[in-house]
């Protein structure tokens, strides 16, 4: 049943009033190379009552002061930080063990590569909630718009000029080029970096994870956008290696989608 306009809650009327603004400004600011994401943000929020500002309200306030790069917008919940640190510590511990295993198997290059993974992980301390949070997505999913008190920070990153490859030989950033695909990425890597792998996983700037075949029998390719991370499956037969293959993309999906980022404390928006 359609609710008459004069009976809509105040915030709902406000959201409808800015719908055209949100769609137009987002279309102008969105990165054209970014693939459409259909997964949802994992925030415990709901369509807020009239007295409670929503994330949509906050974004409108923020954009009055600064242009927002919507394709790299994110939100942060402090309640998830402890879980992220625990996952990070376990990954580092597993990588220490796998590096030792690789050296015992006379594969020192893989041992060094996994130490490079550990060092890279140690620098990724800032987390976010994976998923789209731009006004276009929020307007299409009003039931999932969180109240602003359920968000500890919001922000956005500049679009980076790199793609990142996590291979058994280490972590390597390559310059992003228009039309770049997983095939052109792998052409720039040593063959030893993927020779024993059947799959890789892609982590998009919004935190979506996609698995892709790269062997002769299951080969596929996908376009790459700036800031995407590609993780090659480890060539080690152990429970620890299988866990890292699963856990590393999940962890990377919760990291910020760039290097040069701006964060805003929503508590300061309504003082």
């Amino acid at each position: 049943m359609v609710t008459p306009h004069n009976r809509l809650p105040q915030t709902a009327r406000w959201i409808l009033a800015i719908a055209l603004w949100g769609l137009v400004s987002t279309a102008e600011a969105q990165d054209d190379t970014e693939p459409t994401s259909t997964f949802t943000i994992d925030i415990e929020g709901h369509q807020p009552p009239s007295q409670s500002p929503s994330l949509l309200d906050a974004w409108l306030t923020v954009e009055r002061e600064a242009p927002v790069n919507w394709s790299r917008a994110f939100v942060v919940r402090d309640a998830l930080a402890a879980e992220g640190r625990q996952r990070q510590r376990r990954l580092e511990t597993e990588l220490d063990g796998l590096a030792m295993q690789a050296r015992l198997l006379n594969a020192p290059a893989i041992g060094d590569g996994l130490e490079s993974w550990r060092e890279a992980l140690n620098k990724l301390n800032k987390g976010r909630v994976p998923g789209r949070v731009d006004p276009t997505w929020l307007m299409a999913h009003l039931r999932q718009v969180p109240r602003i008190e359920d968000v500890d920070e919001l922000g956005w990153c500049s679009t980076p000029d790199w793609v990142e490859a996590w291979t058994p030989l280490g972590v390597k950033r390559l310059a992003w080029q228009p039309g770049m695909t997983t095939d052109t990425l792998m052409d720039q890597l040593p063959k030893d970096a993927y020779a024993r792998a059947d799959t890789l996983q892609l982590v998009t700037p919004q935190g979506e994870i996609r698995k892709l075949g790269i062997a002769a029998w299951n080969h596929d390719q996908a376009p790459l956008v700036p800031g995407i991370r590609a993780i090659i499956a480890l060539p080690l037969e152990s429970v620890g290696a299988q866990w890292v293959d699963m856990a590393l993309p999940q962890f990377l999906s919760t990291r910020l989608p760039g290097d040069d980022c701006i964060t805003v404390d929503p508590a300061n928006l309504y003082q």
Side-chain angles (χ1 to χ4, degrees), residues 180-222:
M180 197 172 191
T181 69
T182 48
D183 281 355
T184 55
L185 168 68
M186 292 173 65
D187 286 343
Q188 299 180 57
L189 299 174
K191 289 187 177 180
D192 288 347
Y194 57 85
R196 296 174 56 190
D198 289 337
T199 60
L200 63 73
Q201 295 185 76
L202 297 174
V203 180
T204 73
Q206 287 80 26
E208 184 179 15
I209 300 171
R210 179 184 176 188
K211 193 172 186 177
L212 201 70
I214 58 173
W217 64 272
N218 67 348
H219 178 265
D220 197 0
Q221 68 171 331

Side-chain angles (χ1 to χ4, degrees), residues 130-153:
R132 282 183 61 177
V133 293
D134 57 276
T136 296
W137 191 94
L138 294 172
M139 285 297 301
H141 302 83
L142 290 178
R143 290 184 180 274
Q144 295 173 254
V145 177
R147 298 173 301 177
I148 200 60
E149 58 257 39
D150 295 324
V151 174
D152 295 295
E153 287 182 334

